[in-house]
Amino acid sequence: MDATDSAKLLPPDDSFIDQTFHTLNERHNSIYQFVMRYNDYILSVHDYGEGIPMTMIEVHTLTYIEEHPGVTVTELAKYWGKTKGALSQTASRLAEWGLITKEKKEDNAKNVCLYPTEQGIRLSKSHKLYDTLDITKTMGELRKECTPEEIDAFYKVLSVYNQVIQKDFEINKGARPVGRKPKRRE
């Protein structure tokens, strides 16, 4: 069902639409605010213990490479649900910083495999410790106001919600170009 079909189902009463929107939107605002704050957090740089400021995307990509030596950018893109171009840029930064090496496959020069360097392995291990301590701290904060059952329910709902969004994104992928400027209506 698209927006046109949805509009046909709704009554033309603007007050009903406004009231329904505000009721539903009030709950979802906490999700919107969380997503925006978490996005800022993901894109901010942190020192994971080796003196190299990195974003979460960069360090998690490095850790994936450390745990899956020989992975390709195509495989990374599939795992993270991002474009090959985006992951290729991340891999290039990691290589520039001396954290990974890129090696062409023997049987296919087009495919480039990614391997962690010794420094990359150390940083990945530092990242794992950093995240373990940070997640433990976060869970402690959550436990101050939430029961273990509520935290488990939160993670279950988050997992299902992620699947719903993923399915919607796959269905409507072509309809949501990122970075597109709106066309002016004349």
Side-chain angles (χ1 to χ4, degrees), residues 64-78:
Y64 191 88
I65 294 167
E66 184 255 328
E67 292 182 344
H68 303 88
V71 68
T72 66
V73 168
T74 301
E75 293 164 338
L76 281 172
K78 184 177 180 182

Side-chain angles (χ1 to χ4, degrees), residues 128-139:
K128 290 174 187 179
L129 175 60
Y130 179 100
D131 270 11
T132 299
L133 296 172
D134 190 54
I135 292 167
T136 301
K137 178 183 162 191
T138 300
M139 294 305 289

Side-chain angles (χ1 to χ4, degrees), residues 169 176-181:
F169 185 78
R176 297 185 192 169
V178 176
R180 184 182 74 143
K181 293 182 181 179

